[in-house]
Amino acid sequence: MADGLGTAKQVGAQPDGIATMAHRGLTYPLGDPPLPGQAVTVAPGVLWLRLPLPMSLNHINVYAVRDGDGWSVIDTGVNLADSRAAWDMALAGPLEGRPVRRVICTHMHPDHIGLAGWLCARFDAPLVMTRLEYVTGRMLLADTGRPAPEDAVPFLRAAGWDADRIETWRREFGQFGRIVAPLPSGFRRMSEGDVIRIGTGDWRVVIGQGHSPEHACLWNEAQGLLLGGDQILPRISSNVSVFPTEPDADPLGDWLASLERMKALLPDELLVLPSHGEPFIGVQPRLDALIRGHHTALKRLERTLCQPSRAIDVFPALFARPVGDGVVGMATGEALAHLNYLEQRGRVSRTRDADGVDWWLATAQPRDIIDGETA
């Protein structure tokens, strides 16, 4: 933990006298997370900061990398007063009053780009993103305040939503911009394999898909660091969802393929700097666990689909806790991601009834599914 307001504690990679924690094959070498406005130094010129989020996942980690006489910052938090105040403290404290030279966002979700426009305007700094993430973020900002699109209603009805739930969705549509400051009208593009020079270090862009369209991780091979965003989290698996904008998408297929590519690329001794949770060592067992977890969920789902079911009926097969009203949208999207994955591989079928509701059914014999294989 930071020693006090405006200071950062140097912990490095398991120096003498710093205890480490190990859990499920992962090692957490950095100790307690920083408080808002404080920072932990994870490597020379690389700071870990943490900002509050107004939800059950109550924080986001952001990072600052020394860039000449200033900083490049990676991800930003949401556009709320608490987050802006934390940035003000960090900029005056551990960032030493130095300017932000670049704002790099791993992807377009509000907790990652919420204050990107605010920081870019404040420091006249460019925004760096992948193209699909920038364009998707601009699209979602354009939805803010407009009426819910009626052509999305059949998608929700097909998933099993009733009239009351659809009406709630109509009322709550277009909330993206409530916690995202306007983005700059232009950006600097990063793509798979690009090498971004930040200060004296080179960071290679590694793209993941599934959680978002073109999620960027940044890998500093010389320092053994990976800025992992939401692609590789230590304790939870990122949401992978299907949306009305692309109802036949296969984001789970994209997600699993991305994890397999990273398994073939990334060395296990990396220190992963994630967006949620704590920095950890053990990228290979974590990738294995993420892949295994989804395949286990797919097997449970096929067992459930021995009898026809709607998307909203399969939540217990996929989630360890009850799905409340506040997360039913994400749960529905993730259920459909798993169902689309199985359908596109011939393992389930769906039939739409006269009310516009989709009923899903496994194509394998029940005994084959129970044995853990499909015919």
Side-chain angles (χ1 to χ4, degrees), residues 306-319:
C306 289
Q307 57 185 3
S309 303
R310 302 166 299 174
I312 62 169
D313 298 329
V314 305
F315 291 168
L318 298 175
F319 308 114

Side-chain angles (χ1 to χ4, degrees), residues 100-320:
V100 172
R101 294 303 185 193
R102 275 179 289 196
V103 178
I104 302 172
C105 292
T106 58
H107 62 298
M108 55 77 194
H109 290 155
D111 50 333
H112 297 262
I113 67 165
L115 285 170
W118 179 75
L119 285 167
C120 287
R122 179 169 177 170
F123 293 99
D124 192 24
L127 174 64
V128 182
M129 294 181 72
T130 64
R131 177 182 286 169
L132 284 177
E133 298 294 337
Y134 175 78
V135 170
T136 305
R138 288 289 300 272
M139 176 189 74
L140 292 171
L141 277 171
D143 282 341
T144 301
R146 78 178 182 97
E150 288 303 310
D151 59 0
V153 170
F155 172 89
L156 303 173
R157 186 178 296 118
W161 284 27
D162 61 22
D164 288 343
R165 185 163 282 157
I166 291 172
E167 187 56 35
T168 298
W169 167 80
R170 285 193 180 99
R171 290 196 306 270
E172 296 177 350
F173 180 81
Q175 298 296 309
F176 188 88
R178 308 293 186 199
I179 52 174
V180 176
L183 290 174
S185 59
F187 75 111
R188 308 278 177 84
R189 183 185 180 188
M190 57 179 170
S191 302
E192 172 72 40
D194 286 352
V195 176
I196 300 176
R197 185 78 170 177
I198 305 177
T200 60
D202 290 333
W203 298 78
R204 176 179 170 184
V205 179
V206 180
I207 297 298
Q209 297 172 305
H211 176 61
S212 64
E214 195 182 4
H215 181 295
C217 302
L218 296 175
W219 177 19
N220 186 319
E221 297 181 61
Q223 288 188 293
L225 301 175
L226 179 74
L227 288 160
D230 281 355
Q231 187 70 28
I232 311 175
L233 300 176
R235 294 186 178 88
I236 60 174
S237 179
S238 296
N239 179 257
V240 178
S241 280
V242 171
F243 299 98
T245 46
E246 193 181 353
D248 297 325
D250 181 23
L252 183 57
D254 294 337
W255 174 252
L256 292 171
S258 295
L259 299 181
E260 292 287 359
R261 288 196 305 272
M262 291 184 179
K263 267 189 60 62
L265 179 67
L266 300 175
D268 195 39
E269 64 272 13
L270 285 175
L271 177 61
V272 180
L273 307 179
S275 292
H276 308 285
E278 289 72 49
F280 68 94
I281 297 169
V283 67
Q284 289 291 329
R286 186 56 188 150
L287 288 168
D288 285 336
L290 289 169
I291 293 166
R292 184 172 60 249
H294 281 289
H295 283 297
T296 299
L298 288 165
K299 290 179 180 179
R300 289 198 304 266
L301 179 57
E302 286 183 278
R303 295 188 187 103
T304 297
L305 296 176
C306 289
Q307 57 185 3
S309 303
R310 302 166 299 174
I312 62 169
D313 298 329
V314 305
F315 291 168
L318 298 175
F319 308 114

Side-chain angles (χ1 to χ4, degrees), residues 333-375:
E334 185 135 4
L336 288 168
H338 285 74
L339 291 164
N340 280 8
Y341 179 92
L342 292 175
E343 182 186 42
Q344 293 186 25
R345 287 153 185 82
R347 290 160 61 179
V348 302
S349 63
R350 60 173 153 171
T351 303
R352 182 161 295 184
D353 67 18
D355 294 323
V357 177
D358 286 342
W359 294 88
W360 300 79
L361 183 66
T363 58
Q365 295 296 319
R367 62 177 177 276
D368 296 325
I369 296 170
I370 291 170
D371 290 339
E373 301 293 338
T374 57

